[in-house]
Every structure is written in structure tokens, then in C-alpha cells.
């Protein structure tokens, strides 16, 4: 009898080890029976068995000497705001708690002590610029380390390493934006080794969503929390807007899944593993067809969520603009969608872009969270999508508007906020302050990429400079590759059409493309070595 008990105990320990308690780590603390259908790709996920490591950050005073350093003559407040954002972020660096199963130091979201998938992905869009000074990108490793045997990753994980939700809860996971953050990092640093490391975890999670978050027709569902946009009025009134899937097809989730399928195929191409996920192409074709046939309204020229009865949700929301991150819409439809950003009765408010169209009954002038609030992550998605899709003038319009509002709020309050009001230059209703957090997107990423106009693509060995400012401006210590450092500065000009003169210092080779005036462009090849002046 004792032998039987001993064997059963040994089997139990082995089971616990196999399902999330490797090397003494208690990752899941599941109070229910094992129902995992194992995903083979998870076995390649080396983060699940990695040992935790700590790295004490430099003091901010020391870090500031090494971080990307902007130049913009006559714009001292903008530069002050940039450094204040970095300083606030620096104060939110955390180390993994012993026994949590977290494997890396990380940037805390400045909310409740937990890590959130949605917030983390957006924070990496600005934090990656500091990765040569502190390894911010490894913040995402703490999600990969907590991947379940079937591929599931919880969207919110406590500092002690425990999941906040059971995996089949409608609010348990999403949005699936980790690949977007990984590709942003790759474009800045060209780190193929990291793509090799994260590929299996990202693909396994994507497959879990395909199996567990789709309706019988293949379209995707989520929830208010699952999309990150808690109280957006989308589901029918009988459903809870935060916790329920509402038996609805969720527009942003479908668009994000198309985007992620494309990104994972791109990663697969870089590491020569795309053949393993060829079926993602089939889903992309299906989602494009489904969205165009079932979620586009030709009368209004907009995309909407779809109810179970086939009718469309009447709310025009920022979710539709995830189409800018995809190739789902043909140009005529995309033109019509983008036109809504110029409509003053909808999205062209004092502070662009409200999460909910201003003509909706639930729209609130203070924002009331996602009932009109202007959110840094969502705005960055819109601006980035407009730029990549060739709507540059609109991208600059939204960026200029967003940045001007954030700058004024910073002048008035001295800090950064979780979200903002759409109708006035002030923070949103009950918004959290000192939020860096994704509040770092406008003063850092938006500032570098749209105010200064510098876009890096290390994978293509190219820096593109959209030169719109007339004063002397540029960036020192810009990371470009693992150890690359680039400093570029444009001399002052009399007008936008004047040909720029650029001074470049670099320890890496790259092509510099400068766009200015009315469709003027020039390219020069930069070699590592001494400072050089380029007259186009």
C-alpha cells in the first residue's frame, strides 16, 4: 500500500513538473484537473525553463549620457518632456520576484503591479530605443516564460508569477500584439537570434487563439478586457461590455490576427521556418474575405463588429483603424476609412483620435475611459499605420495634433497620463498620472519618428528621415543594430523646400534616405568612421 502511495505521489510530482513547475517554479498554481492538449512548438520555448536573472539599471543620470539624445533648437520644452518620460520609465524598472517564474527584469506598466500583454507590447514601441542601455525587450520574456503547454499565455500576470485568469475565461488573453513589438525591435536592431528564440512561443500562442477564440465560421471573438478596450460600447445591451464575448465577431481581433499571421510568416522567412506555418496564409485569405464581405458597410464606408444575427454594431470605433496595419482593404475602401479621421463630427476632435466616434450617444467629452478617451497606444497604432500605408500627410496631422496636446498637458501638469480627453487639452476622467507605462509613446517614440521624423530599418540597413522641421534638429546616440550608434543632425533651413545639409557620425554602414518639401527625396550611403557632412 505504501508503495502504491509513493508511486502516486511521484506521478503527481512529475505531472506538476510537466505542467508548469519546472525546477521548483510555481507558474500556474492550477486548482483544477489537467486538460492540456500539448502544442509541440511549446517544447521549443526555452523561456519556460530559463533561470531568472537580474540587472540593476544604471542611475538615470548615467543612463541619460547613453540614451538617444535629441537636438531641436528652440524647442527646450519638447526635449525636457522627452527626458522626463525616460526618467519616469527608469523609475519603473522591476526585477523578477523569487519563485515567480519571471526570467528577466522588466518595465512595469505603472498600473497595479501586474504585467499586461497589451500594455507591454505598446511600451516596447518606445522602450526599445533604450535597449543598448537596459535590455527592455526582455520584459516580454516574462510572458513567454509563462506559456502553458497548449500555447496559451495569460494577458495579465501577477508579480508573483500567477495568472490572473483561467485560460478559457473570455477575458483571459489578448490582444495578440507581442509579434508587433518584436518586429519593431527587429527593425531597430536586426537581431535575428532573438527571432529564433521567440518564434516558437509566438506561433504556439497564435495557434492556441486559432483553436480557442474562433467561431465555427473561423472569425475571431474576444471581450472588452481581451481587446484592452474595456468599456467600449460594442456588445448588445444584454451582455456585459467588459467580460462577455457577446456572441459577436470582434473586428480588431480579426484584423490583429491577420497582422500577426503576416508578421509570423515574415519572421519565419528571416529564420527559414516559414514552411512550418504555411497554413497561416490560408487564414489570412479567409480573414480578408470575411472582413470585406461581413464587416464592411458600404453606405458609411467603415468597418464594424458583427453580431451573431449578421447585423453590424452601430458604433464607429478606433478598432476599425487596425485595418491600417493590414492589407485587408483595397485602396478605395481604405481611402474611405481614412477619410473619417478628417470628419469633425466623428474623429477629428480637439485631441485626435477618440476611441469612440463623437456622434455616438455614449461618447463622453472627458473620455470616460474608452467612451471617447484618447489613448497613447491606440493613437500610435493609427499614426504608424497611416505612415506605412502611404497616408503621410494624415499621419503627420494626427501626430502633430496628438503631440501638441500631450505637450500642453505636460506643461500644465508636469507629468504623463494614462489617457486624455478628446475635447480639451487635459487628462481623461480618472486617468492615472506618472503613467510611463504607454504614456511614454508620444514624448519618445512619436517625438523621434514624427516630430524629428527619423525612421530606422536595420533589417534593410536604412534610416529614412522625413524632414519637416526648419530649425537645427536631429538625434545623437541613435541605436542601429546591436552595437551600432548613429548621430545625425540637419542644419537650419529657411523654408521646407530648401535642400537639407546633414552631418552624420556612425560606427555602422547604412543608407540614409531624406525626404523633404514637396516630394523631394535623396539617398546617400554612409560609411562608418569620421564625421561627414552630406549636401544633397
Amino acid at each position: 500500500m505504501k508503495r502504491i502511495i509513493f508511486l502516486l505521489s511521484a506521478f503527481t510530482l512529475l505531472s506538476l513538473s510537466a505542467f508548469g513547475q519546472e525546477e521548483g517554479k510555481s507558474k500556474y498554481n492550477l486548482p483544477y484537473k489537467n486538460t492540456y492538449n500539448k502544442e509541440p512548438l511549446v517544447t521549443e520555448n526555452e523561456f519556460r525553463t530559463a533561470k531568472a536573472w537580474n540587472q540593476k539599471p544604471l542611475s538615470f543620470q548615467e543612463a541619460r549620457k547613453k540614451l538617444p539624445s535629441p537636438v531641436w533648437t528652440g524647442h527646450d520644452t519638447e526635449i525636457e518632456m522627452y527626458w522626463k518620460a525616460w526618467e519616469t520609465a527608469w523609475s519603473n524598472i522591476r526585477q523578477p520576484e523569487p519563485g515567480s517564474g519571471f526570467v528577466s527584469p522588466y518595465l512595469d506598466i505603472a498600473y497595479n503591479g501586474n504585467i499586461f500583454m497589451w500594455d507591454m507590447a505598446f511600451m516596447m514601441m518606445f522602450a526599445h530605443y533604450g535597449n543598448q542601455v537596459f535590455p527592455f525587450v526582455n520584459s516580454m520574456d516574462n510572458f513567454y516564460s509563462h506559456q502553458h503547454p497548449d500555447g496559451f499565455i495569460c494577458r495579465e500576470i501577477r508579480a508573483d508569477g500567477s495568472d490572473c485568469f483561467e485560460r478559457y475565461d473570455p477575458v483571459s488573453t489578448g490582444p495578440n500584439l507581442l509579434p508587433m513589438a518584436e518586429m519593431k525591435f527587429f527593425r531597430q536592431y536586426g537581431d535575428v537570434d532573438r527571432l529564433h528564440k521567440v518564434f516558437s512561443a509566438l506561433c504556439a500562442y497564435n495557434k492556441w487563439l486559432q483553436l480557442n477564440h474562433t467561431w465555427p465560421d473561423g472569425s475571431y471573438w474576444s471581450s472588452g478586457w481581451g481587446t484592452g478596450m474595456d468599456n467600449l460600447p460594442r456588445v448588445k445591451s444584454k451582455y456585459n461590455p467588459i467580460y462577455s464575448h457577446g456572441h459577436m465577431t470582434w473586428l480588431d481581433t480579426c484584423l490583429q490576427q491577420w497582422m500577426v499571421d503576416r508578421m509570423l510568416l515574415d519572421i519565419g522567412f528571416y529564420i527559414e521556418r516559414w514552411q512550418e506555418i504555411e497554413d497561416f496564409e490560408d487564414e489570412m485569405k479567409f480573414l480578408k474575405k470575411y472582413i470585406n464581405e461581413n464587416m464592411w458597410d458600404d453606405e458609411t464606408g467603415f468597418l464594424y463588429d458583427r453580431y451573431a444575427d449578421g447585423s453590424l454594431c452601430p458604433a464607429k470605433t478606433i478598432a476599425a483603424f487596425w485595418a491600417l496595419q493590414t492589407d485587408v482593404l483595397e485602396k478605395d475602401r481604405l481611402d474611405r476609412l481614412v477619410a473619417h479621421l478628417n470628419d469633425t463630427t466623428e474623429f477629428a476632435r480637439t485631441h485626435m483620435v477618440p476611441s469612440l466616434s463623437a456622434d455616438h450617444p455614449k461618447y463622453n467629452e472627458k473620455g470616460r475611459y474608452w467612451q471617447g478617451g484618447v489613448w497613447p497606444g491606440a493613437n500610435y497604432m493609427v499614426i504608424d499605420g497611416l505612415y506605412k500605408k502611404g497616408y503621410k500627410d494624415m499621419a503627420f496631422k494626427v501626430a502633430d495634433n496628438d503631440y501638441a496636446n500631450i505637450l500642453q498637458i505636460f506643461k500644465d501638469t508636469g507629468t504623463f497620463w494614462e489617457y486624455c480627453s478628446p475635447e480639451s487639452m487635459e487628462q481623461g476622467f480618472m486617468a492615472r498620472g506618472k503613467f510611463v507605462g504607454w504614456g511614454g509613446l508620444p514624448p519618445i517614440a512619436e517625438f523621434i519618428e514624427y516630430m524629428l521624423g527619423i525612421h530606422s530599418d536595420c533589417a534593410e540597413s536604412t534610416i529614412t528621415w522625413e524632414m519637416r522641421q526648419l530649425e537645427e534638429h536631429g538625434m545623437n546616440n541613435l541605436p542601429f543594430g546591436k552595437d551600432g550608434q548613429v548621430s545625425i543632425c540637419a542644419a537650419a533651413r529657411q523654408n521646407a523646400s530648401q535642400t537639407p545639409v546633414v552631418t552624420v557620425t556612425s560606427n555602422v554602414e547604412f543608407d540614409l534616405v531624406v525626404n523633404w518639401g514637396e516630394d523631394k527625396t535623396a539617398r546617400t550611403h554612409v560609411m562608418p568612421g569620421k564625421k561627414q557632412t552630406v549636401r544633397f
Side-chain angles (χ1 to χ4, degrees):
M1 185 67 177
K2 289 182 179 179
R3 179 175 174 79
I4 293 173
I5 292 172
F6 173 80
L7 289 171
L8 286 172
S9 299
F11 177 78
T12 301
L13 288 171
L14 285 170
S15 297
L16 286 172
S17 176
F19 294 101
Q21 295 197 8
E22 301 92 345
E23 302 181 7
K25 291 185 286 188
S26 179
K27 293 183 182 176
Y28 313 132
N29 297 319
L30 304 181
Y32 30 78
K33 292 184 178 180
N34 164 33
T35 58
Y36 288 113
N37 182 17
K38 293 183 183 179
E39 165 55 51
L41 281 166
V42 176
T43 63
E44 296 183 37
N45 178 357
E46 61 188 71
F47 300 102
R48 296 180 77 236
T49 55
K51 293 184 182 298
W53 59 279
N54 295 325
Q55 180 171 325
K56 183 180 178 180
L58 298 172
S59 69
F60 179 67
Q61 289 71 27
E62 287 299 311
R64 177 168 172 162
K65 299 173 185 176
K66 299 182 178 183
L67 286 166
S69 182
V71 175
W72 195 4
T73 301
H75 291 265
D76 293 347
T77 306
E78 288 87 338
I79 292 176
E80 177 193 352
M81 184 169 76
Y82 171 86
W83 287 120
K84 184 64 175 179
W86 271 122
E87 184 178 16
T88 308
W90 222 257
S91 69
N92 289 324
I93 294 172
R94 302 287 181 264
Q95 305 299 326
E97 288 187 9
S100 66
F102 286 174
V103 296
S104 171
Y106 59 95
L107 184 59
D108 183 52
I109 70 162
Y111 184 70
N112 64 359
N114 301 343
I115 62 171
F116 288 73
M117 185 182 293
W118 159 255
D119 298 61
M120 189 68 77
F122 277 129
M123 288 193 301
M124 293 304 103
M125 303 294 179
F126 75 83
H128 77 277
Y129 283 107
N131 214 73
Q132 289 182 351
V133 188
F134 189 82
F136 287 108
V137 71
N138 296 102
S139 299
M140 295 188 289
D141 298 352
N142 295 320
F143 287 101
Y144 307 143
S145 72
H146 283 63
Q147 186 165 51
H148 289 232
D150 59 355
F152 169 78
I153 303 175
C154 193
R155 69 173 184 85
E156 182 182 357
I157 304 174
R158 300 181 184 91
D160 66 6
S162 57
D163 287 353
C164 288
F165 306 101
E166 194 278 331
R167 69 194 194 279
Y168 294 128
D169 188 322
V171 304
S172 69
T173 196
N176 183 14
L177 302 185
L178 295 175
M180 186 180 184
E182 292 288 358
M183 287 303 289
K184 186 73 173 178
F185 178 79
F186 177 67
R187 293 295 176 191
Q188 194 73 39
Y189 294 93
D191 189 348
V192 176
D193 288 342
R194 181 162 179 87
L195 295 185
H196 279 284
K197 290 179 180 179
V198 302
F199 178 75
S200 60
L202 295 175
C203 290
Y205 176 51
N206 202 49
K207 287 188 173 186
W208 188 91
L209 289 168
Q210 290 176 341
L211 288 172
N212 296 284
H213 269 236
T214 51
W215 297 119
D217 63 8
S219 64
Y220 280 84
W221 60 266
S222 188
S223 61
W225 269 0
T227 64
M229 301 190 290
D230 309 11
N231 66 335
L232 201 59
R234 307 171 72 173
V235 298
K236 290 189 174 183
S237 59
K238 64 181 178 179
Y239 297 104
N240 185 292
I242 298 175
Y243 309 128
S244 177
H245 56 51
H247 293 99
M248 184 176 79
T249 295
W250 294 65
L251 173 62
D252 44 344
T253 308
C254 291
L255 290 167
Q256 288 159 2
Q257 284 304 117
W258 191 101
M259 176 189 75
V260 167
D261 286 344
R262 176 72 271 164
M263 288 179 172
L264 292 178
L265 286 164
D266 287 344
I267 293 173
F269 172 78
Y270 283 114
I271 65 174
E272 299 183 354
R273 294 188 63 177
W274 64 269
Q275 298 95 334
E276 299 171 42
I277 54 171
E278 283 181 309
D279 57 319
F280 289 5
E281 289 185 292
D282 296 332
E283 182 176 64
M284 290 170 64
K285 293 174 184 176
F286 163 77
L287 287 172
K288 179 174 182 176
K289 185 173 186 290
Y290 183 94
I291 292 167
N292 276 281
E293 292 182 355
N294 297 284
M295 308 184 84
W296 172 264
D297 177 64
D298 205 51
E299 182 178 347
T300 58
F302 207 77
L303 288 165
Y304 301 87
D305 299 307
R306 184 177 187 269
Y307 294 134
D309 63 6
S311 63
L312 297 179
C313 169
K316 292 190 287 290
T317 76
I318 202 163
F321 296 107
W322 279 100
L324 292 164
Q325 298 288 340
T326 75
D327 295 332
V328 165
L329 295 182
E330 300 301 328
K331 191 175 185 306
D332 58 336
R333 287 190 172 184
L334 198 58
D335 286 346
R336 295 184 67 192
L337 178 70
V338 169
H340 288 267
L341 293 170
N342 272 325
D343 191 328
T344 57
T345 68
E346 296 181 343
F347 295 101
R349 309 304 291 181
T350 299
H351 193 167
M352 302 169 75
V353 177
S355 49
L356 179 66
S357 176
D359 58 3
H360 192 280
K362 286 277 190 180
Y363 178 82
N364 187 291
E365 64 179 11
K366 295 291 185 182
R368 193 175 169 80
Y369 232 53
W370 290 92
Q371 294 177 358
V374 179
W375 294 79
N379 261 18
Y380 184 79
M381 173 274 292
V382 172
I383 296 165
D384 179 70
L386 288 166
Y387 179 78
K388 289 191 295 192
K389 283 295 179 186
Y391 299 95
K392 287 187 179 181
D393 289 344
M394 181 59 74
F396 297 142
K397 176 180 178 178
V398 177
D400 288 347
N401 173 275
D402 186 45
Y403 189 83
N405 277 273
I406 297 297
L407 181 64
Q408 186 59 53
I409 296 167
F410 175 76
K411 289 177 181 178
D412 294 340
T413 67
T415 192
F416 308 98
W417 297 87
E418 182 183 13
Y419 78 101
C420 299
S421 162
E423 298 297 336
S424 58
M425 288 186 171
E426 59 184 1
Q427 66 269 26
F429 175 69
M430 294 183 68
R432 294 171 184 255
K434 298 182 180 179
F435 204 82
V436 186
W438 56 27
L441 277 165
I444 298 176
E446 201 171 294
F447 177 64
I448 293 172
E449 296 164 18
Y450 295 96
M451 298 301 106
L452 300 183
I454 300 168
H455 297 260
S456 303
D457 192 342
C458 187
E460 299 296 328
S461 298
T462 301
I463 293 177
T464 300
W465 197 343
E466 302 289 350
M467 197 171 291
R468 301 191 298 131
Q469 311 304 340
L470 299 182
E471 304 89 352
E472 179 186 32
H473 66 291
M475 181 68 71
N476 296 315
N477 301 333
L478 180 71
F480 194 70
K482 181 181 178 181
D483 301 309
Q485 289 275 321
V486 176
S487 292
I488 51 177
C489 187
R493 296 179 296 156
Q494 295 298 313
N495 54 66
S497 62
Q498 183 178 341
T499 302
V501 176
V502 177
T503 302
V504 186
T505 305
S506 175
N507 64 355
V508 291
E509 185 178 355
F510 68 95
D511 280 351
L512 175 64
V513 177
V514 179
N515 300 321
W516 75 97
E518 292 293 328
D519 298 322
K520 295 182 179 180
T521 187
R523 176 185 291 262
T524 189
H525 190 68
V526 176
M527 296 295 294
K530 296 185 297 183
K531 181 185 293 187
Q532 50 192 301
T533 300
V534 182
R535 291 176 171 83
F536 292 99

